Amino acid sequence: MSYKIEQLKQILKTDQMSIEPNALKTYGNDWLELYKPSPSMVLFPESRQNVEDIIKWATECNLSLVPSGGRTGLSGAAAAQDKEVVVAFERMNQILEFNEIEQSLTVQPGVITKNIQGWAEEKSLYFPLSFASEGSSQIGGNVSTNAGGVHVIRYGSLRKWVLGLEVVTGTGNTLSLGRGLIKNTAGYDLMNLFIGSEGTLGLITEITLQLTKKPELPCVFLFSVPDLSALMNLYHLFKSKLPLRAFEMFTSLAVEHVQKNSTVSFPLKEKSSYYVLTETDQSTQEEALSLFESALEKGYVLDGVISESSRQAMELWSFRENISEALSPHFPYKNDVSVRISLLPDFLSEMNQILNREYPHFEVVWFGHVGDGNLHINILKPEKMEKEFFLKKCEKVNDILFSVIKKYKGSISAEHGVGLLKKPYLHYSCSKEELIYMKAIKKIFDPKGILNPGKIFN
């Protein structure tokens, strides 16, 4: 390795490389923490030229590269477990250009998601990507996984807000894609091919994002719902009449775990198996209240509360947004799946029956973005069960779960990506022919297979 480092010193400064054990451990994994990190080195590029040189160096030295952003992923896509070289983008963290006329923002990949939101806010604009890890995730990683979040029902996933990408492929060539154009039908849309590719086709060095006007202040409702059928009736009622920003579902078990770690009292007296949090514009509050009354009469809801201030809106959201943090001490095995919205009740009911029958000693916590068909399934480890035994049990859960997903023509990964975790199950969502084409595309952009090897497929 010493001669390889000497070559590296010709293109990077000494402080741009590290083999310190703490750095290897920190940068060699993501939030999943399921895979033992074992990278050989961590590199910190500061420019596109650095990235080009790193890729060419890795090709010459026959080394593999794993891109690293905020490492908030939950699929193992940022895990380096086989002496790969980690390329951490945290120093490429500059806002490069704001186009006031087009309301677009060009940034480097290491910019923190929340900082982009804050920067847009200062310009009286809005960047609609929002999720629990926005305070530490990086925009490059968001693009690489086509991040979703809680506002997809109105704003769509991140793909909709990317106008341009600069990427360096596995050959060391730089591509400028999209070019900030709103309309462009000149050939294949290569830019969208890189969005969601998890760093397997190229390393992103620059991103142009579309911003939009600031939304109104929110009007937030929290409902208790008697059953899944009523939940979908409520969704249809509100969706058909209101400009929804979010329509989130979570179970009573999720609330129980959140309340153990919260000083905020749960505001609903009428308990239920399911709860819904919905957000719309404040200007629609009167109509929303009318719909609430209608939903009560029809039996779609048992109880409900509406936010009367920004603070109360945040408190109501806390019962949804704090679920993952509340579950983390229980070593949750997470699955992130999607089906068509209209099929959610049947899917959820079928999966509940199967999991209760096959795994009666596991707590299963459901929550998700009903408005876009995305459900998060968290299987909690029993306190006295060994982790290894628990993981093996959960792998059997996967085969059952994904078989049902295939039956419903859904996706094994709605927004967390494939990485290492979902790789063995990709065939449940993609046909044999699709996988052949994906591997051929990978071969074109990364002929030596040095970029995030072993992720998505072998």
Side-chain angles (χ1 to χ4, degrees), residues 323-343:
I323 295 174
S324 291
E325 182 180 351
L327 299 182
S328 60
H330 303 278
F331 193 70
Y333 189 89
K334 298 174 178 289
N335 263 308
D336 155 54
V337 301
S338 64
V339 296
R340 290 175 60 181
I341 298 169
S342 60
L343 300 177

Side-chain angles (χ1 to χ4, degrees), residues 219-447:
C219 169
V220 179
F221 274 101
L222 180 63
F223 301 111
S224 57
V225 181
D227 52 45
L228 293 170
S229 176
L231 184 149
M232 294 312 297
N233 287 330
L234 181 66
Y235 169 74
H236 179 68
L237 177 66
F238 271 66
K239 176 67 173 174
S240 63
K241 301 291 185 180
L242 298 175
L244 292 182
R245 299 184 201 174
F247 195 93
E248 303 284 305
M249 180 275 290
F250 45 96
T251 62
S252 57
L253 188 56
V255 172
E256 288 176 20
H257 282 282
V258 170
Q259 285 191 284
K260 292 175 184 176
N261 298 280
S262 176
T263 57
V264 179
S265 299
F266 193 65
L268 298 182
K269 295 179 181 179
E270 189 73 37
K271 301 299 182 182
S272 181
S273 297
Y274 301 100
Y275 296 94
V276 166
L277 183 144
T278 184
E279 180 178 294
T280 185
D281 297 335
Q282 197 172 72
S283 63
T284 66
Q285 180 171 328
E286 190 172 323
E287 186 175 4
L289 283 168
S290 177
L291 290 174
F292 172 40
E293 291 173 2
S294 176
L296 277 171
E297 292 174 3
K298 295 175 184 294
Y300 299 166
V301 300
L302 302 173
D303 194 5
V305 62
I306 185 173
S307 62
E308 296 180 354
S309 66
S310 296
R311 178 178 178 179
Q312 189 177 17
M314 292 176 61
E315 288 178 350
L316 294 181
W317 263 110
S318 71
F319 292 103
R320 163 62 182 86
E321 292 190 327
N322 292 343
I323 295 174
S324 291
E325 182 180 351
L327 299 182
S328 60
H330 303 278
F331 193 70
Y333 189 89
K334 298 174 178 289
N335 263 308
D336 155 54
V337 301
S338 64
V339 296
R340 290 175 60 181
I341 298 169
S342 60
L343 300 177
L344 274 175
D346 290 342
F347 168 74
L348 190 53
S349 178
E350 184 170 344
M351 281 311 307
N352 260 331
Q353 292 176 21
I354 291 172
L355 292 174
N356 288 338
R357 183 184 70 237
E358 299 291 334
Y359 303 94
H361 303 301
F362 286 172
E363 279 191 335
V364 181
V365 179
W366 298 81
F367 65 92
H369 321 294
V370 172
D372 53 45
N374 178 194
L375 289 171
H376 296 282
I377 308 165
N378 292 257
I379 302 171
L380 308 188
K381 186 183 75 65
E383 186 176 354
K384 296 181 180 180
M385 184 176 288
E386 292 294 328
K387 285 185 180 180
E388 291 75 15
F389 182 74
F390 172 66
L391 290 173
K392 288 180 180 179
K393 285 281 189 181
C394 289
E395 288 173 0
K396 293 182 180 179
V397 174
N398 282 341
D399 285 319
I400 297 170
L401 169 63
F402 297 147
S403 293
V404 178
I405 282 286
K406 185 173 183 178
K407 170 185 168 183
Y408 282 87
K409 298 181 180 179
S411 173
I412 64 165
S413 182
E415 60 181 358
H416 289 171
V418 176
L420 292 171
L421 184 68
K422 298 290 184 69
K423 180 172 67 171
Y425 310 103
L426 191 55
H427 64 279
Y428 285 104
S429 287
C430 300
S431 68
K432 185 183 299 183
E433 290 75 20
E434 286 176 291
L435 290 171
I436 289 172
Y437 282 120
M438 288 182 191
K439 291 178 181 179
I441 290 169
K442 164 76 170 174
K443 191 73 174 176
I444 290 170
F445 288 104
D446 183 24

